[in-house]
Amino acid sequence: MAQLREKQRALHLGPGASAPQGACLRDQHRARLCQPQALLDNYDRQTGQKEVVTATEAEEQEAFLAEIFATPVLATLTRFFLAKGLYASEAEFQEDLKTMWFGMYSRSSGKATDSSGFEHVFHGEIKKGKVSGFHNWVHYYELEKTGQINYLSYSYDGPWTAYPDILAIQYRWNSYLKSVGSLFIGSSPEFEMAVYTLCFKARPDRLCTLSLAGKRAQIQTYSWANTEYGPGRHYLASSYPFSP
């Protein structure tokens, strides 16, 4: 139980909390974790409300993508995809990742172009009065600091003793309930983008089994089946760590 309490403190910064080692919240890594935050204030969380990408927001997307593609983890993923023949060039993969994550579509039965994979996974949405998506611990952390998140309970505590780790939790985002939400904690945005993209391309719409620090982890992905942006290419609808 002591280990679980430390994980919970690291996530929601309750009494005695400290940021996870290697969480990249301060000092030398601040630029990496501040970069997603520039994107997360661009979205209207309510489905049915049209998302308009301004020139400034498009620049923030490009800056974020340039930042993560400069990291070793995305370089490794790029080499893997090229070796497998999934893409003809690094530029093709970069453009496809941008489209699959940031391409817009409608979660409101065509009422509005109101969603993207990035918004759903990293920011979270409100659909039919409940929290939908929202699988990013940094956004959770930032919202909890301002009193917008109320942690309620946990349903899964991963076996890892170092970060990244996985928790499944219940919470309220203002008045909206997330009954079960699983997420990595202590992970960098490039790690999450790489793992989710790997599983989305290799095992779309089903569980993808990985080894994380020598222990078994599974990622669930879903594609947006209603729309294609190229032959056989679908936008990412959701991706998150599976919790038994």
Side-chain angles (χ1 to χ4, degrees):
M1 284 299 294
Q3 180 183 340
L4 174 61
R5 286 195 295 271
E6 174 57 29
K7 291 178 185 178
Q8 291 171 336
R9 283 196 297 269
L11 177 64
H12 64 84
L13 301 187
S18 60
Q21 184 178 2
C24 308
L25 284 174
R26 300 185 184 88
D27 299 330
Q28 71 269 27
H29 296 297
R30 177 171 291 278
R32 273 204 293 138
L33 279 191
C34 284
Q35 194 66 263
Q37 289 305 110
L39 301 178
L40 293 175
D41 63 1
N42 295 342
Y43 300 109
D44 187 325
R45 66 182 180 177
Q46 293 286 348
T47 58
Q49 300 297 314
K50 181 178 175 62
E51 297 284 5
V52 178
V53 180
T54 67
T56 298
E57 291 169 354
E59 290 174 1
E60 290 169 351
Q61 288 181 11
E62 294 294 341
F64 171 69
L65 291 169
E67 185 79 20
I68 66 169
F69 270 109
T71 63
V73 65
L74 261 296
T76 299
L77 182 63
T78 300
R79 289 194 298 270
F80 175 77
F81 281 161
L82 293 180
K84 295 295 182 181
L86 291 176
Y87 297 97
S89 66
E90 181 178 357
E92 182 188 359
F93 170 48
Q94 291 181 356
E95 186 62 28
D96 192 39
L97 182 142
K98 175 184 174 181
T99 304
M100 75 174 73
W101 278 96
F102 290 98
M104 304 297 296
Y105 49 85
S106 176
R107 289 186 190 267
S108 53
S109 301
K111 177 182 176 182
T113 305
D114 56 3
S115 186
S116 68
F118 187 88
E119 177 182 1
H120 184 80
V121 173
F122 281 80
H123 181 275
E125 299 173 295
I126 304 300
K127 185 174 182 178
K128 298 180 179 179
K130 296 181 180 179
V131 178
S132 179
F134 199 154
H135 302 290
N136 178 248
W137 76 278
V138 176
H139 193 211
Y140 181 104
Y141 165 83
E142 294 294 337
L143 290 175
E144 220 244 0
K145 282 199 305 183
T146 60
Q148 297 181 66
I149 290 285
N150 181 23
Y151 168 82
L152 300 175
S153 64
Y154 80 98
S155 58
Y156 175 73
D157 168 27
W160 295 272
T161 57
Y163 301 100
D165 201 348
I166 296 172
L167 285 178
I169 56 176
Q170 182 181 81
Y171 58 91
R172 286 190 181 276
W173 183 4
N174 301 128
S175 61
Y176 301 103
L177 177 67
K178 181 69 174 182
S179 56
V180 178
S182 58
L183 65 173
F184 286 108
I185 59 171
S187 53
S188 67
E190 64 267 25
F191 171 84
E192 293 183 28
M193 290 287 287
V195 168
Y196 292 154
T197 302
L198 171 64
C199 287
F200 183 60
K201 295 297 293 184
R203 301 286 188 273
D205 301 301
R206 59 188 187 274
L207 288 174
C208 172
T209 302
L210 304 169
S211 176
L212 180 61
K215 294 181 172 61
R216 183 172 180 263
Q218 291 184 298
I219 304 297
Q220 176 69 57
T221 66
Y222 292 101
S223 57
W224 190 251
N226 297 339
T227 310
E228 289 187 348
Y229 60 87
R233 291 188 175 183
H234 293 274
Y235 300 109
L236 185 141
S238 190
S239 187
Y240 54 86
F242 177 75
S243 58

